[in-house]
């Protein structure tokens, strides 16, 4: 089961799981704005976009369950509510964003159609694929990811060897934490929790007689390879963005920058090919999100087929409504939700990776509750209309970096474990 072939196949599946079209548009602009501090920004980005998601997969390998198992140590009610919130966010933000990316990269440059028309056609097709559960997407997915990787390697390689290594000044005040927060927008930590279980189930089906430790070992090895590959691609994309800081206008959008970089390195034909592949990758991502959400609701409604169809309909209608907006707007709208749910997701992933003696039920309850409470100020600050007084939460450490939850959660984790150990003695 742990043959090199099995490890590589699983690693490729994990890479495909995380590396979607949305991930493509984030790193280049991050590098474009990071200037001479691109490496520090990359480190922050990779912590939230690579390390945490891979730890999420490792947590699935340990639990060998579903999204519901991530929060059940807090309480079944919390876990159910958390699951519903995660799926609601998934069909309301990252799924519609795929339609927006498709319009901006593959439709708008060639056709004068409106975004709403693109969104309607796009999610009508998504709905048809979801209710018919066509296997063609799996076949397309196996071809898409290698093709996109090859094109990215060409783009990164050409820019790296053809441009001078000269960098402008950074536009970020807090480069490292800005990189971490931009990594939230990949939704990959959420992706690890939502669909990571699919990998586990696939391994269990293929290797029914495999032991718990064998499956865990396979995931650990494959996860390390997938994580390293993600790190290399993200680093290359951030570096590419930083190398073209004098080529494009500073107000350029994420999708326009990726398109410009592709044209600069591969020409118009290469850019057209990339746009087509990105659009297909967007489509498979949207189908996967809506299908996963519909499956979850179906499982909570006694496997009702009607519940599946209704959920798919609602998911596609939300996609049409949100998908007509531009990518920058959807990213801005997503920020408050991410500032609240991402810290909770990170904490659940980390706790589920720890040995039982350090992550008991009481530790889960205290740390998660603390994280929720101290995420509220960051959530409020991310909503311009609320505009809370800056001095109101200034007493919270790291609050100015939008990470006010980190130290309180860590302190509660240590204190709860010390109290628990003292009570046992």
């Amino acid at each position: 089961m742990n043959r090199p072939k099995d490890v590589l196949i699983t690693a490729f599946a994990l890479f495909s799981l995380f590396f979607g079209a949305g991930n493509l548009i984030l790193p280049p602009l991050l590098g474009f704005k990071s200037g001479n501090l691109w490496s520090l920004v990359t480190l922050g980005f990779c912590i939230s976009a690579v390390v945490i998601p891979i730890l999420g997969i490792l947590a699935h390998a340990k639990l060998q369950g579903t999204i519901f198992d991530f929060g059940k140590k807090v309480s079944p009610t919390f876990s159910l509510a958390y699951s519903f919130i995660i799926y609601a966010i998934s069909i309301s933000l990252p799924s519609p964003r795929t339609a927006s990316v498709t319009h901006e990269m593959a439709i708008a440059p060639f056709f004068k159609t409106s975004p709403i028309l693109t969104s309607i056609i796009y999610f009508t097709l998504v709905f048809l694929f979801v209710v018919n559960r066509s296997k063609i997407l799996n076949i397309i997915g196996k071809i898409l990811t290698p093709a996109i990787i090859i094109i990215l390697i060409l783009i990164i390689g050409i820019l790296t060897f053809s441009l001078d290594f000269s960098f402008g000044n950074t536009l970020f005040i807090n480069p490292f934490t800005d990189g971490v927060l931009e990594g939230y927008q990949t939704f990959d930590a959420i992706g690890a929790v939502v669909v990571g279980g699919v990998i586990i189930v696939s391994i269990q089906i293929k290797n029914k007689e495999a032991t718990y430790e064998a499956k865990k070992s396979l995931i650990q090895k494959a996860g390390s390879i997938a994580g390293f590959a993600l790190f290399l691609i993200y680093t290359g994309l951030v570096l590419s963005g930083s190398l073209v800081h004098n080529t494009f206008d500073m107000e350029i959008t994420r999708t326009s920058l990726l398109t410009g970089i592709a044209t600069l390195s591969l020409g118009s034909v290469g850019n057209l090919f990339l746009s087509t592949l990105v659009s297909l990758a967007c489509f498979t991502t949207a189908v996967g999100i809506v299908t996963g959400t519909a499956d979850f609701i179906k499982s909570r409604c006694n496997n009702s087929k009607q519940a599946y169809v209704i959920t798919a309909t609602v998911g596609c209608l939300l996609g049409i409504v949100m998908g007509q907006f531009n990518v920058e707007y959807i990213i801005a709208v997503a920020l408050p939700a991410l500032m609240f749910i991402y810290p909770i997701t990170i904490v659940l992933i980390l706790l589920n990776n720890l040995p039982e003696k350090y992550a008991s039920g009481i530790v889960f309850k205290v740390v998660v509750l603390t994280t929720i409470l101290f995420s509220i100020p960051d959530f409020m600050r991310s909503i311009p209309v609320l505009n809370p007084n800056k001095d109101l939460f200034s007493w919270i450490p790291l609050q100015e970096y939008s990470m006010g939850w980190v130290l309180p959660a860590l302190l509660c984790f240590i204190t709860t474990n010390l109290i628990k150990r003292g009570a046992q003695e």
Side-chain angles (χ1 to χ4, degrees), residues 22-30 45 97 182 185-186 254 331:
N23 306 65
L24 278 170
I25 65 173
L26 296 170
L29 188 64
L30 199 60
F45 182 80
R97 189 174 70 182
E182 185 73 357
Q185 291 286 355
T186 64
R254 290 171 172 84
I331 287 176

Side-chain angles (χ1 to χ4, degrees), residues 240-253:
S240 297
S242 65
L243 289 174
V244 297
H245 68 280
N246 287 327
T247 308
F248 302 102
D249 185 87
M250 292 308 298
E251 300 301 318
I252 193 170
T253 64

Side-chain angles (χ1 to χ4, degrees), residues 271-315:
N271 178 47
L272 177 62
F273 191 46
L274 176 63
S275 298
T276 302
L277 289 176
V278 167
S279 300
L280 289 171
C282 280
F283 186 76
T284 59
T285 299
V287 172
I289 291 173
V290 176
T291 301
T293 305
D295 278 335
F296 174 74
I297 299 300
K298 178 182 177 182
S299 69
R300 306 304 305 184
C301 299
N302 298 318
N303 289 318
S304 167
K305 187 176 181 180
Q306 185 179 12
Y308 180 91
V309 174
I310 291 174
T311 305
T313 302
V314 172

Side-chain angles (χ1 to χ4, degrees), residues 65-317:
T66 66
I67 183 176
F68 184 79
D69 296 296
F70 266 77
K72 67 181 183 181
K73 277 191 176 182
V74 179
S75 79
T77 302
F78 166 83
S79 190
L80 185 60
Y82 172 76
S83 300
F84 271 108
I85 291 172
I86 287 292
Y87 280 112
I89 290 174
S90 297
I91 61 172
S92 301
L93 296 168
S95 178
R97 189 174 70 182
T98 64
S100 184
V101 170
T102 297
H103 180 78
E104 292 186 18
M105 289 196 66
I107 305 298
F110 310 104
F111 306 98
K112 300 299 181 181
T113 57
S114 67
I116 184 64
L117 179 60
T118 299
S119 189
I120 290 172
I121 296 174
Y122 184 91
F123 277 101
T124 298
L125 293 173
V126 168
F127 178 79
L128 292 175
F129 272 80
V130 170
V131 295
N132 291 292
R133 302 185 78 102
S134 174
K135 292 183 180 180
I136 192 172
L137 287 179
N138 293 328
I139 299 172
I140 293 174
K142 292 177 182 178
I143 300 172
L144 280 178
T145 302
I148 292 175
I149 291 174
I150 291 172
I151 290 178
L152 289 178
I153 291 173
L154 288 173
I155 291 173
I156 294 168
I158 290 172
L159 287 181
T160 300
F161 290 104
S162 63
L163 298 178
D164 294 331
F165 269 65
S166 61
F167 306 98
N169 295 322
T170 183
L171 300 181
F172 294 124
I173 298 175
N174 306 302
F176 177 76
T177 52
D178 285 335
V180 172
L181 295 178
E182 185 73 357
Y184 284 13
Q185 291 286 355
T186 64
F187 288 90
D188 279 348
I190 292 175
V193 173
V194 171
V195 293
V198 174
I199 299 294
I200 305 300
V201 172
S202 299
I203 293 173
Q204 290 172 336
I205 292 174
K206 189 176 180 180
N207 304 276
K208 295 181 179 179
E209 298 180 0
T211 64
Y212 170 87
E213 289 299 328
K215 288 181 284 188
K216 186 176 180 181
S217 175
L218 174 62
I219 290 295
Q220 288 174 335
K221 292 176 182 178
S224 299
I225 295 173
F228 183 67
L230 285 169
F231 171 76
L232 290 179
I233 294 293
Y234 286 146
T235 301
L237 287 173
V238 174
L239 175 60
S240 297
S242 65
L243 289 174
V244 297
H245 68 280
N246 287 327
T247 308
F248 302 102
D249 185 87
M250 292 308 298
E251 300 301 318
I252 193 170
T253 64
R254 290 171 172 84
T255 51
S256 296
L257 179 59
L258 178 60
T259 299
I261 288 175
T263 303
L264 184 65
S265 55
L266 300 178
S268 57
V269 175
N271 178 47
L272 177 62
F273 191 46
L274 176 63
S275 298
T276 302
L277 289 176
V278 167
S279 300
L280 289 171
C282 280
F283 186 76
T284 59
T285 299
V287 172
I289 291 173
V290 176
T291 301
T293 305
D295 278 335
F296 174 74
I297 299 300
K298 178 182 177 182
S299 69
R300 306 304 305 184
C301 299
N302 298 318
N303 289 318
S304 167
K305 187 176 181 180
Q306 185 179 12
Y308 180 91
V309 174
I310 291 174
T311 305
T313 302
V314 172
C316 290
L317 288 175

Side-chain angles (χ1 to χ4, degrees), residues 394-420:
S394 60
W395 56 275
I396 302 176
L398 302 181
Q399 180 62 43
E400 66 271 27
Y401 305 112
S402 297
M403 293 201 172
W405 59 275
V406 174
L407 289 182
L410 179 61
L411 181 60
C412 284
F413 170 76
I414 295 172
T415 303
T416 306
N417 270 292
L418 290 175
I419 294 173
K420 182 170 171 280

Side-chain angles (χ1 to χ4, degrees), residues 23-41:
N23 306 65
L24 278 170
I25 65 173
L26 296 170
L29 188 64
L30 199 60
F32 189 69
K33 293 182 177 180
S34 64
N36 57 329
L37 297 180
W38 69 271
S39 58
L40 187 59
V41 172

Side-chain angles (χ1 to χ4, degrees), residues 311-379:
T311 305
T313 302
V314 172
C316 290
L317 288 175
L318 281 172
I320 291 173
V321 172
M322 286 298 296
Q324 64 178 304
F325 296 105
N326 62 58
V327 174
E328 301 301 320
Y329 177 79
I330 295 175
I331 287 176
V333 170
L335 186 59
L338 290 172
M339 294 305 293
F340 180 74
I341 202 65
Y342 233 78
I344 300 170
T345 302
I346 291 173
V347 164
L348 287 175
I349 288 174
L350 294 176
L351 289 176
N352 277 302
N353 272 285
L354 294 175
E356 177 66 28
K357 63 178 181 178
Y358 299 119
S360 61
I362 185 63
V363 172
F364 264 80
K365 289 180 174 64
V366 172
V367 175
V368 170
L369 178 59
T370 302
T371 302
I372 292 173
L373 291 175
F374 282 89
S375 293
I376 292 175
D378 292 333
F379 169 75

